Amino acid sequence: MINKKNLWFLTLFSLVLVLSVYYITMPSELLMTNNSENINNDEIIETNIEESNIVEALKTEDNTNTLEEINKLKETIANNESTTEDKNEAFDAIKTLNQISSKEELLEEKIKTTHNLDSFIKIDGDQIRVVINSSDHSSSIANNIMRTIQNNFEEKQYISIQFK
């Protein structure tokens, strides 16, 4: 089942997604009206656009993919033509996806608290992909992160770390 933390995360993520879609699909006339008023007043406006954070982009993409997969599985559960076995498999798959997402969030929080680094973690079986948002590409930091992650698993994990 979905715990409260995951429910809040999914709710807030859905809200951000809806607002993003709304902003993208907003008529360009509204944007042009505001700009033309500023141009008529002979004011020059400087805009600084920051490069998007790769870790946040990866998290957003992963969350979107997870939500799509969960929605497909929910459709299978809600479908009257699905067999009981198919529904049970879909339910187990949703449960597994939620457990993996929770584990990824837990590991990201541990890296944040122990190493003070923003990270993206993707667990795929016994393979764990870690992307660290840091300009310092130290092998000692990578080894410490690997140890931190491996301490959360009983069996050996194959951990790859990438700095961005």
Side-chain angles (χ1 to χ4, degrees):
M1 294 308 256
I2 297 177
N3 60 26
K4 287 183 180 181
K5 187 177 180 182
N6 285 342
L7 182 62
W8 274 108
F9 174 75
L10 291 174
T11 303
L12 292 175
F13 178 76
S14 300
L15 179 63
V16 168
L17 186 64
V18 168
L19 291 174
S20 299
V21 169
Y22 173 75
Y23 179 77
I24 290 171
T25 59
M26 189 170 31
S28 59
E29 293 84 27
L30 292 175
L31 297 174
M32 296 300 286
T33 308
N34 291 338
N35 287 341
S36 62
E37 290 174 6
N38 290 337
I39 292 171
N40 290 337
N41 294 332
D42 293 323
E43 293 179 22
I44 298 176
I45 299 174
E46 291 185 25
T47 305
N48 294 330
I49 300 174
E50 285 186 30
E51 185 177 318
S52 122
N53 186 347
I54 189 74
V55 171
E56 294 302 320
L58 289 170
K59 286 180 182 179
T60 303
E61 180 183 353
D62 184 52
N63 289 336
T64 303
N65 292 340
T66 303
L67 286 174
E68 288 175 359
E69 193 169 341
I70 287 173
N71 286 335
K72 287 179 186 176
L73 292 168
K74 284 182 179 179
E75 287 175 8
T76 302
I77 292 172
N79 188 355
N80 291 335
E81 296 177 7
S82 296
T83 64
T84 305
E85 184 176 311
D86 290 339
K87 290 181 180 183
N88 287 338
E89 288 175 7
F91 181 76
D92 289 340
I94 290 173
K95 183 176 162 185
T96 302
L97 285 172
N98 285 330
Q99 289 172 343
I100 290 172
S101 293
S102 296
K103 190 71 165 180
E104 291 169 348
E105 288 177 30
L106 174 75
L107 292 173
E108 288 170 1
E109 280 298 314
K110 280 194 176 187
I111 290 173
K112 180 69 174 172
T113 56
T114 57
H115 304 288
N116 200 24
L117 295 169
D118 288 329
S119 63
F120 166 75
I121 297 179
K122 182 64 181 163
I123 300 173
D124 187 17
D126 64 349
Q127 308 238 345
I128 300 175
R129 178 177 163 228
V130 181
V131 178
I132 303 293
N133 187 20
S134 174
S135 58
D136 183 18
H137 298 77
S138 170
S139 60
S140 64
I141 292 173
N143 286 332
N144 289 336
I145 292 171
M146 285 179 172
R147 284 189 197 102
T148 301
I149 292 172
Q150 186 60 53
N151 287 338
N152 291 282
F153 295 93
E154 292 181 12
E155 56 276 340
K156 174 78 172 143
Q157 301 295 312
Y158 299 99
I159 305 167
S160 64
I161 297 188
Q162 186 177 18
F163 289 95
K164 294 280 184 176

